[in-house]
Amino acid sequence: EYENEGIDWTKVEFSDNQDCVDVIEMAPPRGLGVLSVLDAQCRFPKATDSTLAYKLKEELADHSHFDTNPRLPDDFIILHYAGQVRRGSGGGWAHACAQPPHPASLPSAF
């Protein structure tokens, strides 16, 4: 349509990013993604940053868009179309899960 109207443009090809989205958002029964594992760990009373890292590796090791670095045992890598995105499970994930939600994040009553 642009050509019909004489508009100069360049077509940009986008790759399908569904596998990357799945590694983050996948939920049962299809499998587990990062958010599902984090949610499960938040419900586990003795969860730690290390147990989160272990469960992520256990559940997502075979996923094409998930990776780890043996030198950084509490880190994980999402293989994003724009490059590797490294996140650490250390640094208080488990502590943050134990905190009550901020009142502003709760739905308001009608």
Side-chain angles (χ1 to χ4, degrees):
E1 188 167 317
Y2 294 119
E3 291 170 355
N4 293 339
E5 296 181 21
I7 298 172
D8 186 26
W9 66 285
T10 303
K11 184 176 182 179
V12 176
E13 294 291 332
F14 292 97
S15 60
D16 183 358
N17 205 30
Q18 190 59 52
D19 286 341
C20 185
V21 171
D22 286 346
V23 78
I24 297 167
E25 295 184 349
M26 196 165 28
R30 290 185 45 222
L32 294 176
V34 172
L35 295 178
S36 295
V37 173
L38 178 60
D39 184 54
Q41 285 292 294
C42 285
R43 297 169 193 266
F44 184 64
K46 298 199 185 270
T48 65
D49 295 335
S50 293
T51 62
L52 172 61
Y54 176 81
K55 291 303 281 182
L56 286 169
K57 291 172 192 172
E58 182 178 72
E59 295 295 338
L60 299 169
D62 294 333
H63 196 286
S64 63
H65 282 66
F66 180 85
D67 202 2
T68 59
N69 181 338
R71 292 183 284 165
L72 302 168
D74 286 345
D75 287 11
F76 61 95
I77 301 165
I78 302 296
L79 303 175
H80 190 264
Y81 74 90
Q84 294 184 356
V85 179
R86 186 177 61 82
R87 294 288 180 249
S89 61
W93 291 74
H95 176 73
C97 288
Q99 302 304 307
H102 188 279
S105 67
L106 299 173
S108 60
F110 292 93

